[in-house]
Amino acid sequence: MCGIVGYIGREGQEDARDVLVGGLENLEYRGYDSAGLALSNGDLTVVKREGEVTELVSALEENNPGAAPVGIGHTRWSTHGEPSDANAHPHTDCSDDVAVVHNGIIENYEQLKAELRADGHQFESETDTEVVPHLIEAALKRGADRESAFRSAVDRLEGSYAIAAVFEDADDVFAARQDSPLVIGVDEGGYYLASDVPAFIDHTDQVLYLEDGEFARLTPETVGISDADGRPIEKSLATVEWDAEDAGKSGYDHYMLKEIHEQPRALRKCLRGRVDGIERTVDLDLELDDVGGVHLVACGTSYHAALYGAQTLRSQGIPAQTFVASEYTRSSLAGQSPLVIGVTQSGETADTLGALRTARAAGARTLAVTNTVGSTAARECDQALYVRAGPEIGVAATKTFASQQIALHAFALWLGEGMVDSDQIDALRTLPDHVQSVLDDSNARNVAREYVDASAFFFIGRGYNHPVALEGALKLKEISYEHAEGFAAGELKHGPLALMEDDAPVIAVVTGDDERARKTVSNVKEVQARGAPVIAVTDGRSDVEQYANHVLTVPETEPVLAAVLANIQLQLFAYWIAAELGRPIDKPRHLAKSVTVE
């Protein structure tokens, strides 16, 4: 969601302004509506603007604050107050001696604001964040030093936060986190602070992860990390296993298109060392015994992957349920003791973390299925299964969804204690090549051009194709802003048929030739009889193409993996619809990559 950057350089190193602007540009994918910097160079200079980072850069050129060795920056995604210059971060105290940036939500800010106003503090914004610099100011006036004042302010906060602060005429950065990520980058030239690694991956791949309740003080020469009581904490450096080039566009017009085309490689990485074609086995580096049932908790695209994963688990005889993470409560356990799997691309999704913490508090075992090594979910869960998709910059998830699908499918096969036949193994091993063939041969762009002016889009599927239909609709609405809905195909006659129009195509995902496929073909006939155009995504085994206006083909494979291939076509269709409409595909309005507030 919001993005934090911070930098403090040793003498003779880079100007903080350049580092911070570069960091903010690297975090643009997270989604934001304003941006700002605070630079400490004897005086404290704050520059912030509604709009994109380019607006901030123009403002910096106009203000020309000069070189500074230390600073913090922020991209804001509005929660309290509309997008505006005043509501943009950083926020300062009455005397402009301290500047603060913040991700998360301070739940008791109204109470704190009333208390501070009663003491004479004046506020310039509608945000919850602005109480923090005023709390620091109040503590300084009581005689506290900078670190004590910062800690005192943080102690008053209720809610979620990642906070960083800088002071006038001081060469240090203070930071703290609770339920919102912060990571420190380390190199010979200085120290970096960010809400996500891409902010500073251009400079270093050596990182320290802050945990909930921890504080950090960065100086030109040292990083000090301590707990809430001030006791020092020793941490080991971790190495990020990708570099800045991995996060570039590589000549593609958008990150999303690049990441769609990276899926063969991502799936090979997901499967490498896990699927043995000689021994015909699936082996995961996990330790789990006596799994009687599974609950999967997730949000958005990851929820659709979880729906898919639950079906693969049930196919192996393992009871599995899927829950929207924000709806998961202790009563969801209902006396059960399942393995609770949190499916989260970033590993920082607030609702999913909340569900996992609920499960742990009830004594359940937990497993994170995530793309991000060192993320909160990976650290807090009993074990982690990494999907290995590599960095994903586009807000709309693509390669991480496919990698989640395959990681969960492999997990189901592994948990099924050897119930893996040769056909399944062969299909998994050839899947990346099949994905490549879809990418090479897809006519989704031409089909998209036919329907770019449609009034609405409806996606249907059964079985493994049902979650894919839901995801296809989500992907289209995310990046094109067009109305799209996904249904279980059998539900059409229970209401959605009333929406059928000759300018509202139905995208039917039909693979295989079993009873589900035949029933979906019947649903397609119902749609056709009502005058709606049909786009069939199919492997050709059901003859659905004779009832379709257009066809997007996928290779024949095992039913569980045909759904993965169908999803590639739906991603391309959504992309080309959005491209024809001229939408900002990588940064869709109102959305964020990592949703760290509930």
Side-chain angles (χ1 to χ4, degrees), residues 1 27-32 77 254-256 259 301 345 392-398 400 471 474-475 478-479 584-595:
M1 193 165 287
L27 292 180
E28 286 187 287
Y29 73 94
R30 292 170 67 96
Y32 71 105
W77 190 83
H254 297 94
Y255 284 113
M256 182 179 178
E259 288 154 5
T301 288
Q345 174 266 326
E392 186 176 67
I393 305 302
V395 168
T398 52
T400 53
E471 174 60 15
L474 176 62
K475 208 56 51 196
E478 280 182 318
I479 63 170
I585 291 172
D586 287 331
K587 296 181 283 185
R589 66 189 182 195
H590 311 318
L591 299 180
K593 184 66 177 172
S594 179
V595 184

Side-chain angles (χ1 to χ4, degrees), residues 67-110:
V70 58
I72 53 177
H74 193 266
T75 51
R76 176 178 184 254
W77 190 83
S78 299
T79 56
H80 294 75
E82 65 183 7
S84 68
D85 289 357
N87 289 331
H89 297 213
H91 291 287
T92 59
D93 62 325
C94 293
S95 56
D96 295 331
D97 288 336
V98 57
V100 168
V101 294
H102 161 237
N103 290 352
I105 292 179
I106 298 169
E107 296 172 358
N108 62 333
Y109 85 99
E110 290 180 333

Side-chain angles (χ1 to χ4, degrees), residues 207-515:
V207 300
L208 299 166
Y209 294 100
L210 289 186
E211 304 283 353
D212 284 348
E214 292 182 348
F215 290 75
R217 178 178 178 239
L218 284 62
T219 75
E221 303 298 332
T222 62
V223 171
I225 299 175
S226 56
D227 64 16
D229 296 320
R231 292 186 292 262
I233 297 172
E234 294 294 328
K235 287 184 178 285
S236 298
L237 282 171
T239 301
V240 178
E241 298 296 335
W242 49 273
D243 57 30
E245 185 175 350
D246 292 330
K249 288 184 182 177
S250 302
Y252 288 92
D253 288 339
H254 297 94
Y255 284 113
M256 182 179 178
L257 187 60
K258 170 180 177 273
E259 288 154 5
I260 289 172
H261 281 266
E262 285 178 339
Q263 288 176 111
R265 184 176 67 174
L267 293 175
R268 288 188 181 96
K269 290 172 66 177
C270 183
L271 293 168
R272 186 174 299 138
R274 293 169 170 173
V275 177
D276 191 321
I278 297 175
E279 298 295 329
R280 324 301 284 173
T281 58
V282 175
D283 187 21
L284 305 180
D285 187 20
L286 298 171
E287 296 180 4
L288 289 170
D289 297 317
D290 302 321
V291 177
V294 173
H295 286 183
L296 297 102
V297 295
C299 310
T301 288
S302 293
Y303 175 73
H304 299 152
L307 288 171
Y308 174 91
Q311 290 197 46
T312 66
L313 285 160
R314 290 194 292 268
S315 74
Q316 297 298 308
I318 302 157
Q321 296 175 262
T322 308
F323 297 83
V324 174
S326 58
E327 296 293 322
Y328 195 77
T329 65
R330 194 157 187 142
S331 64
S332 304
L333 293 157
Q336 306 172 64
S337 183
L339 171 69
V340 179
I341 301 177
V343 187
T344 162
Q345 174 266 326
S346 67
E348 305 293 349
T349 309
D351 288 322
T352 305
L353 291 174
L356 289 167
R357 289 162 182 162
T358 295
R360 285 185 64 107
R365 290 175 293 173
T366 55
L367 171 69
V369 176
T370 181
N371 190 43
T372 310
V373 177
S375 62
T376 301
R379 297 196 306 273
E380 290 190 2
C381 285
D382 297 314
Q383 296 186 72
L385 175 61
Y386 295 109
V387 305
R388 303 174 179 171
E392 186 176 67
I393 305 302
V395 168
T398 52
K399 65 177 179 177
T400 53
F401 176 67
S403 296
Q404 286 171 338
Q405 286 179 292
I406 294 311
L408 287 167
H409 178 45
F411 177 74
L413 294 174
W414 174 76
L415 203 59
E417 296 182 357
M419 297 171 61
V420 186
D421 60 38
S422 292
D423 289 341
Q424 290 265 23
I425 295 293
D426 290 339
L428 277 170
R429 288 172 56 80
T430 58
L431 178 65
D433 291 334
H434 281 157
V435 171
Q436 188 63 58
S437 72
V438 173
L439 294 169
D440 292 342
D441 301 333
S442 176
N443 64 328
R445 185 174 192 175
N446 293 329
V447 177
R449 285 172 172 160
E450 291 286 328
Y451 295 102
V452 70
D453 295 321
S455 63
F457 299 84
F458 302 102
F459 294 73
I460 61 172
R462 290 176 186 261
Y464 296 117
N465 292 328
H466 174 221
V468 167
L470 298 179
E471 174 60 15
L474 176 62
K475 208 56 51 196
L476 184 61
K477 72 181 74 171
E478 280 182 318
I479 63 170
S480 75
Y481 313 152
E482 298 299 302
H483 180 76
E485 295 186 57
F487 306 101
E491 286 297 294
L492 270 178
K493 55 187 172 291
H494 297 291
L497 274 178
L499 300 173
M500 298 299 103
E501 299 278 356
D502 60 8
D503 66 344
V506 174
I507 298 89
V509 185
V510 191
T511 55
D513 59 356
D514 60 4
E515 183 179 2

Side-chain angles (χ1 to χ4, degrees), residues 537-576:
V537 183
T538 181
D539 54 10
R541 297 176 63 190
S542 65
D543 293 328
V544 69
E545 56 267 28
Q546 65 181 299
Y547 307 106
N549 300 80
H550 293 86
V551 177
L552 299 172
T553 60
V554 299
E556 287 189 32
T557 186
E558 290 292 300
V560 64
L561 299 182
V564 179
L565 300 175
N567 177 64
I568 308 300
Q569 289 283 25
L570 298 185
Q571 290 174 349
L572 290 167
F573 180 73
Y575 174 84
W576 290 117

Side-chain angles (χ1 to χ4, degrees), residues 38 44 46 91-100 132-134 136-137 140 150 165-168:
L44 190 61
V46 174
H91 291 287
T92 59
D93 62 325
C94 293
S95 56
D96 295 331
D97 288 336
V98 57
V100 168
V132 181
H134 289 277
I136 294 172
E137 179 186 28
L140 290 170
F150 179 76
V166 292
F167 293 80
E168 182 181 50

